[in-house]
Amino acid sequence: MAESSWRRYLRFWRPNLEADVDDELRFHFDERTAALTATGLSIDEARRQAEREFGDVGAVRNGLREIDGRLHATRARANHWDQWRQDFTYSARSLRRVPGLSFTVILTLALGIGVNATLFSLLDRVFLRMPAGVSRPAELRRFYWIGTSVNNQAIAVPEFSIPVADGVADVLRGLAVTTVFRNDTRRLGDDREPSTVVTGVGPRYFSVLGVQPSFGRFFAPDEARYDVATPVAVVSQAFWSRRFGGSPADAIGQTIVLDKQRLTIIGVAPRHFTGTELDATDAWVPLGMTSAFATFGQAPAGRPAWYQSQTMYAFLLLARPVNASAAARLEAAATVGARRWFRNPRLQKNARVLTGPIIAARGPEGRQQEIAISVRLGGVALIVLFIACANVANLLLAHAMRRRREIAVRAAVGISRGGIVRLVLADSVLLALGAGIAAFLVASWSSVLLRRLLFPTIHWSTSAIDWRVVAFTLVATLVAGLGAGLLPALRSTRTDVSQVLKSGGREGSTQRSRARTFLVVAQAALSTVLLVGALLFVKSLRAVRALDLGYDAERLVFVSTQSHGERWGSGVTAGSGPLAELASRLAHVPGVEKVALTSMLPMYEIDLSKLFYANGDSLPPWTDGAPTVSGVSPEFFATTGLHLLRGRLLTPSDLRAGNVAVVNQTLARSSWPNDEPLGQCLRLGKSGPCATIVGIVEDARRVQLIERPVRQMYLALRDSGSYSPGGILVRVPPERAAAVEHEATRMVATLFPGVEANVRRMADVLAPQYRPWELGATLFTIFGLLALLVAAVGVFSTLSHEIGQRRHELGVRVALGATVADIIRLVLGEGLRVIVIGAAVGSLLALAAGRLIASLLYGVDPRDLSAFATVVAVLLVVAATAAVLPAWRASRTDPLEAIRAD
Amino acid sequence: MTTDGLDLLQGTLDVLVLRALAGKPQHGYAVARFIRESSDGTFRIIDGALYTALHRMEERGWVESEWGLSEKGKRAKFYRLTAAGRRALRSEAATWERYVAAVGKVLRAEPA
């Protein structure tokens, strides 16, 4: 075998190819000439005759060389592939002999690649993918405006009011074509149908996006007008086939029901077009048709219609500039147009309009916390993959060491360096392919889960797994396979043949595993980074949960009523209206501790009022915008758990006597920094009645868990107007909350037929605000634990392997009198020393990386010492656990057997 | 070898070469010698064409070559039939025999 392959390789050299032909022909002529001389011809005659018989020697020789050249090229190609096939077959066979190693490697890589594919699936959709079906989407611009928010933070807001949007559209005429739209989650059909995404669109929506109907037509200019509500709709093909099946062409002329109104389908959108948002739009209707606006459309007397309202910022504004130079001028022009239409004088002077790409996540809008989390998770996923690769490289290195003797034998019989590299790489590529398949399975499950976790309300327009994710997984697999396999492969080529064969495959202690030690250090370091991150998120969640909102959110149930989309039962006498009646009945429900009436449900509704000193002066400016004033019944404070700091609370007699107020600490301090607030009075409006301050209570939140202190004032409930009863607060023990919720809903239905009950636990109202914190903590912890698991496997397998390699040495030690404890101490010590170095390096990295997540943390310093200490301790415990088994095995080394082996 | 021998019919050389290799592996000169001797010098063989045929057949996968030593101990290139070569020999020989038989029949037939 060695002989023939030697020959084969030599023959492939081109000079030999030509010499071969010459040799063959020379042999022929020699033989023929000899044969002819034997018949009596002279040498010259014989040679001439042989040449005559042969024909044109030059031409034949060239012909033969050409044929052989072709033949050689074909064979070389076949040979190449054959080599790889052989290596892979061989590799598969040898890996089957080490199922433990193969399983560990595949599992580790599958986790590493799987989490990356999962994150890729999400980030690709959120950040990279242009909306499908839209023509030249890169040209489209999305508008934002910057004013001043409630809490004085400048943030870019994508929602415009119709008058401002129209003002912008006006000034942009000639530069760009604009349109407005808004997405709502509504039910199409009756209550049994799942909710769908309905896009209300303004004029020119489809033409701005450059979309043509597949069937039927889109809205005519008359149908898209704001001041009419034409009952027509365009549906997506996906929605049509999901709901009704059959050909989308049949949809034209059919009707669908939206909020009890029958809409005629006039068009079907092209196949892949599902709007411009992450949500997949199922149906498009004129803005005037979507239910919310139908309600606003029948505005009560005195209130403007939705399209005239200057306070209703609810519409997204898109534009397609006519050319690049127009695109550059959009922001400046739009700013001028928008300022004309803002009502607020400050906005008229300061507001700015910005534009961003059609992909919302890349725009100037303050990033959603969920998106910020997913970006960082992408980084974390990469780190997990690094750890996995380091671990796999380590395992393969150990595996390659075990195969040293085999490789040395192969080297001795003349296999090339490239051949050895190929052999070892085949192992890792094969393992990576197995891992890639497993990773794909992991990803197809977890990417759906991650979407649901991070963005539960989005009706995704594309499935989580598509060819892009498959391609990503494939590339990641190959890169990981090559990355993890290269180091072991290169090291195997440095095998010193004679030494290995002589020493019987034992490693020299000098070169023992410097590379492997480095890899374990790297794993420990990266795990430290991830675990510190995870712990910081957990601590931050704990800090957010521990926030004192002022209210006992866990114990509160909100009850309000509405009819035809309007608040119902309010604006009537505080003591005897339907809400008061409902409240007094609720007080008798078992488990209910307290019931209060209020004009405004805390952290659910908002009020911004103007307050003045008794002499008509404005209050000093404060960071919170305007103060919040609410009307409350005397039981409000006991029900919500707001504590009195000074003075007294409201009493039933205040309801009749009127003008007294309780204020929060911030309002008291900011308005009378030097005087006694009690006994002072505040006016609602410059010349309104003056309310005397009788008590000071602790601060409570206005809308957000985390916000600057706001000024709050509580008045005794009025019989009518803004401070009359609007909702009921019920205080219950947390375990009774669900039952009381149910009872309240039932009570409204029996007491006031036809009236809708809106019953919610305050904890549920606040849940969305806690969610990002919980998500951060959960996801980072999952990733951190994954990393820890992988690193633990790394420590375990490295130590196990090392013990195996050092049996001889350990045997000698035992023979020389080392005790079991000595050996265990030796092995554990070596294992832990590596981890300590890794943890130290990791801590430094984590310190540096801290600022990357600082914006996502609350109430915890990214350099939190206790977090670092905890992580290092956990790492050491895990490493020690992983090292115990190999150490114990080492201590049982039988000296005789170990020394005799080999 | 006489110069007034018959020219080989197109495509006939292949079957003769294959036949020459039907036994043990042979070098090119032995193939030429075999054809010459077994046809009693009937055919005028251009040896160059014979080598071209051998190399073509190797490209086609009908024969394999290997360097070895000749009877006299000289380095020579030996050709051996592959399985595909054997199949080719069988079918070519059969075709050739059918052809010869048909031509013979025609020649013996009495014109009507």
Side-chain angles (χ1 to χ4, degrees):
Chain A
M1 144 91 202
E3 167 71 1
S4 89
S5 74
W6 166 257
R7 181 81 78 48
R8 206 166 60 202
Y9 276 106
L10 274 189
R11 276 223 335 252
F12 285 158
W13 294 342
R14 193 150 281 275
N16 272 41
L17 210 62
E18 296 181 351
D20 274 1
V21 169
D22 292 347
D23 284 355
E24 187 178 16
L25 297 186
R26 190 175 310 119
F27 174 76
H28 172 85
F29 281 111
D30 288 352
E31 291 290 311
R32 185 59 183 154
T33 312
L36 288 171
T37 24
T39 64
L41 294 181
S42 74
I43 297 240
D44 279 353
E45 283 169 336
R47 188 163 294 148
R48 269 199 300 280
Q49 163 133 13
E51 278 172 16
R52 235 184 354 262
E53 283 170 5
F54 195 89
D56 184 344
V57 179
V60 168
R61 183 201 277 136
N62 287 341
L64 294 186
R65 282 178 181 176
E66 199 179 299
I67 295 172
D68 284 7
R70 274 204 307 268
L71 182 63
H72 161 253
T74 320
R75 277 209 187 135
R77 269 199 302 276
N79 208 275
H80 191 71
W81 285 114
D82 205 48
Q83 282 291 307
W84 272 106
R85 202 178 46 75
Q86 276 180 19
D87 287 341
F88 276 118
T89 319
Y90 180 80
S91 175
R93 231 182 299 133
S94 71
L95 286 176
R96 224 176 300 148
R97 280 199 297 270
V98 280
L101 172 96
S102 308
F103 178 76
T104 313
V105 168
I106 289 181
L107 186 72
T108 311
L109 273 185
L111 286 177
I113 298 169
V115 295
N116 278 277
T118 304
L119 264 298
F120 174 80
S121 155
L122 185 75
L123 295 178
D124 175 51
R125 183 67 192 93
V126 172
F127 279 97
L128 302 179
R129 202 89 63 84
M130 290 284 182
V134 173
S135 79
R136 301 190 309 283
E139 284 177 11
L140 289 171
R141 306 302 292 169
R142 194 184 276 269
F143 285 78
Y144 303 83
W145 63 277
I146 291 189
T148 309
S149 81
V150 170
N151 283 340
N152 247 356
Q153 290 153 314
I155 47 171
V157 182
E159 289 98 359
F160 288 75
S161 68
I162 293 289
V164 174
D166 278 353
V168 169
D170 264 349
V171 294
L172 292 187
R173 200 154 290 161
L175 289 180
V177 193
T178 62
T179 189
V180 290
F181 71 97
R182 103 173 234 116
N183 276 6
D184 283 290
T185 305
R186 324 257 3 137
R187 210 159 253 138
L188 282 173
D190 56 30
D191 289 349
R192 289 185 309 261
E193 300 291 354
S195 64
T196 50
V197 179
V198 176
T199 301
V201 304
R204 304 178 298 276
Y205 173 83
F206 291 102
S207 62
V208 166
L209 297 183
V211 178
Q212 299 299 325
S214 276
F215 302 99
R217 61 181 179 85
F218 289 150
F219 306 123
D222 267 359
E223 292 167 331
R225 269 166 51 188
Y226 300 142
D227 54 350
V228 294
T230 322
V232 288
V234 170
V235 294
S236 75
Q237 295 205 4
F239 169 74
W240 182 258
S241 54
R242 195 171 70 225
R243 183 67 64 83
F244 301 102
S247 160
D250 300 337
I252 310 299
Q254 304 287 326
T255 57
I256 45 172
V257 175
L258 174 65
D259 290 308
K260 299 184 184 104
Q261 281 198 284
R262 214 159 254 292
L263 311 186
T264 306
I265 297 175
I266 58 163
V268 178
R271 186 109 92 101
H272 297 293
F273 178 68
T274 52
T276 53
E277 309 304 292
L278 291 179
D279 271 317
T281 299
D282 294 307
W284 292 263
V285 301
L287 263 180
M289 269 325 297
T290 67
S291 140
F293 306 113
T295 309
F296 297 130
Q298 316 149 3
R303 266 209 263 162
W306 62 271
Y307 54 90
Q308 291 163 334
S309 164
Q310 293 190 311
T311 51
M312 184 182 230
Y313 295 98
F315 309 93
L316 302 176
L317 180 56
L318 292 181
R320 186 186 291 275
V322 293
N323 55 37
S325 78
R329 284 183 293 156
L330 281 190
E331 290 189 354
T335 298
V336 173
R339 282 184 186 172
R340 257 181 235 155
W341 288 93
F342 280 118
R343 211 176 39 173
N344 181 323
R346 218 180 29 208
L347 291 181
Q348 286 172 2
K349 226 173 78 202
N350 298 327
R352 271 193 309 131
V353 174
L354 299 179
T355 67
I358 187 72
I359 297 174
R362 291 205 228 153
E365 185 181 1
R367 287 266 166 79
Q368 256 178 297
Q369 202 162 354
E370 283 87 350
I371 292 181
I373 288 175
S374 34
V375 171
R376 278 145 185 99
L377 278 180
V380 168
L382 276 182
I383 296 182
V384 172
L385 184 58
F386 280 138
I387 296 177
C389 282
N391 193 12
V392 169
N394 220 336
L395 290 167
L396 289 180
L397 213 50
H399 182 57
M401 287 301 165
R402 276 192 292 268
R403 287 173 63 188
R404 286 173 96 218
R405 201 210 280 256
E406 173 205 332
I407 286 172
V409 169
R410 283 173 169 249
V413 300
I415 190 171
S416 68
R417 224 162 196 269
I420 293 177
V421 169
R422 208 167 44 206
L423 199 67
V424 180
L425 270 186
D427 275 3
S428 58
V429 169
L430 209 59
L431 288 169
L433 282 181
I437 294 168
F440 185 72
L441 297 179
V442 169
S444 49
W445 170 78
S446 62
S447 54
V448 175
L449 191 74
L450 184 68
R451 277 181 164 195
R452 229 179 269 153
L453 258 177
L454 275 169
F455 304 96
T457 57
I458 288 186
H459 294 236
W460 292 89
S461 58
T462 52
S463 64
I465 293 290
D466 57 7
W467 68 267
R468 289 162 71 110
V469 177
V470 174
F472 175 87
T473 311
L474 200 65
V475 171
T477 300
L478 286 178
V479 170
L482 291 175
L486 210 55
L487 182 66
L490 290 179
R491 279 186 65 96
S492 338
T493 63
R494 281 194 299 181
T495 306
D496 178 345
V497 176
S498 60
Q499 201 221 322
V500 170
L501 291 180
K502 259 189 300 192
S503 74
R506 259 199 318 273
E507 276 182 84
S509 59
T510 45
Q511 69 178 84
R512 184 172 65 223
S513 67
R514 203 171 305 142
R516 293 210 309 279
T517 306
F518 170 76
L519 288 172
V520 175
V521 168
Q523 288 180 57
L526 292 174
S527 305
T528 306
V529 173
L530 293 194
L531 286 174
V532 166
L535 204 53
L536 290 176
F537 273 96
V538 169
K539 286 192 156 210
S540 149
L541 171 65
R542 211 182 298 153
V544 170
R545 284 234 179 93
L547 283 173
D548 178 13
L549 307 175
Y551 311 110
D552 298 336
E554 284 299 318
R555 299 175 160 269
L556 289 175
V557 176
F558 295 166
V559 182
S560 61
T561 51
Q562 57 187 33
S563 172
H564 300 292
E566 289 281 313
R567 182 64 74 74
W568 181 84
S570 62
V572 281
T573 321
S576 60
L579 279 186
E581 187 185 340
L582 185 58
S584 65
R585 288 189 181 229
L586 279 170
H588 297 297
V589 172
V592 169
E593 294 168 352
K594 280 265 175 214
V595 176
L597 284 167
T598 171
S599 65
M600 188 189 81
L601 292 167
M603 300 188 75
Y604 185 56
E605 295 165 313
I606 188 170
D607 165 273
L608 297 174
S609 298
K610 283 222 165 86
L611 291 176
F612 298 89
Y613 288 118
N615 62 10
D617 286 353
S618 298
L619 295 186
W622 187 247
T623 52
D624 67 340
T628 289
V629 180
S630 50
V632 299
S633 68
E635 300 82 14
F636 177 84
F637 302 98
T639 308
T640 55
L642 272 186
H643 294 300
L644 177 71
L645 299 177
R646 296 178 54 209
R648 68 170 177 89
L649 293 171
L650 300 175
T651 63
S653 60
D654 293 327
L655 284 176
R656 285 180 298 278
N659 276 327
V660 294
V662 168
V663 298
N664 75 347
Q665 211 176 355
T666 299
L667 179 54
R669 250 191 230 148
S670 64
S671 305
W672 296 278
N674 305 315
D675 295 323
E676 170 58 57
L678 290 180
Q680 306 274 10
C681 101
L682 283 174
R683 288 184 196 281
L684 278 156
K686 248 186 202 337
S687 51
C690 212
T692 309
I693 293 165
V694 296
I696 300 174
V697 291
E698 62 177 326
D699 284 354
R701 293 292 191 281
R702 175 147 60 195
V703 275
Q704 286 171 317
L705 295 183
I706 297 162
E707 63 181 18
R708 301 188 209 189
V710 297
R711 296 173 293 181
Q712 293 164 317
M713 180 158 91
Y714 304 93
L715 298 170
L717 273 174
R718 304 282 165 86
D719 285 343
S720 63
S722 301
Y723 310 113
S724 63
I728 302 168
L729 285 167
V730 184
R731 185 184 178 89
V732 292
E735 68 276 8
R736 288 284 304 156
V740 170
E741 242 182 307
H742 183 76
E743 181 59 22
T745 311
R746 201 192 57 78
M747 206 177 266
V748 171
T750 48
L751 274 181
F752 316 116
V755 171
E756 246 178 272
N758 183 9
V759 182
R760 312 186 67 180
R761 300 178 57 176
M762 188 171 183
D764 292 338
V765 169
L766 295 181
Q769 293 207 47
Y770 285 104
R771 255 180 52 80
W773 305 102
E774 286 161 359
L775 279 176
T778 314
L779 291 170
F780 276 81
T781 304
I782 291 175
F783 279 56
L785 290 181
L786 271 182
L788 185 64
L789 178 72
V790 171
V793 170
V795 171
F796 174 76
S797 57
T798 309
L799 277 182
S800 302
H801 169 74
E802 209 145 283
I803 302 305
Q805 289 291 326
R806 289 171 61 188
R807 268 164 56 86
H808 187 86
E809 175 211 324
L810 293 173
V812 172
R813 281 175 191 262
V814 172
L816 290 179
T819 62
V820 168
D822 288 338
I823 299 289
I824 290 187
R825 207 176 305 132
L826 178 78
V827 175
L828 263 185
E830 287 192 10
L832 290 186
R833 196 172 59 221
V834 175
I835 297 301
V836 168
I837 298 171
V841 174
S843 299
L844 291 177
L845 284 177
L847 271 181
R851 66 192 167 79
L852 295 179
I853 56 165
S855 64
L856 293 180
L857 298 179
Y858 177 80
V860 55
D861 184 355
R863 287 162 302 184
D864 186 87
L865 203 64
S866 69
F868 281 79
T870 311
V871 166
V872 173
V874 166
L875 213 57
L876 284 178
V877 169
V878 170
T881 314
V884 158
L885 187 62
W888 177 75
R889 225 188 272 146
S891 72
R892 289 172 39 110
T893 307
D894 176 356
L896 259 183
E897 195 194 317
I899 297 169
R900 209 167 25 194
D902 304 323
Chain B
M1 179 93 217
T2 51
T3 47
D4 54 346
L6 290 171
D7 283 334
L8 274 180
L9 286 170
Q10 193 70 39
T12 318
L13 184 57
D14 281 359
V15 70
L16 298 183
V17 171
L18 288 172
R19 177 66 193 86
L21 293 172
K24 61 180 171 62
Q26 305 279 6
H27 44 71
Y29 175 70
V31 171
R33 195 176 54 199
F34 172 82
I35 295 175
R36 239 179 228 118
E37 286 171 0
S38 52
S39 70
D40 298 328
T42 310
F43 300 125
R44 185 172 54 193
I45 294 204
I46 309 292
D47 288 340
L50 188 143
Y51 279 95
T52 308
L54 274 171
H55 283 235
R56 283 237 170 86
M57 280 192 241
E58 185 175 18
E59 194 183 8
R60 227 178 291 166
W62 288 0
V63 301
E64 284 172 346
S65 66
E66 196 170 4
W67 288 89
L69 296 178
S70 73
E71 313 85 70
K72 293 172 198 154
K74 286 193 187 153
R75 191 165 162 269
K77 193 173 178 184
F78 283 78
Y79 294 86
R80 183 178 61 224
L81 277 194
T82 63
R86 263 173 223 296
R87 272 197 303 278
L89 172 59
R90 266 200 302 278
S91 85
E92 298 259 317
T95 309
W96 184 246
E97 271 159 18
R98 270 210 317 277
Y99 176 79
V100 170
V103 171
K105 248 186 208 165
V106 173
L107 290 179
R108 282 189 300 275
E110 291 295 325

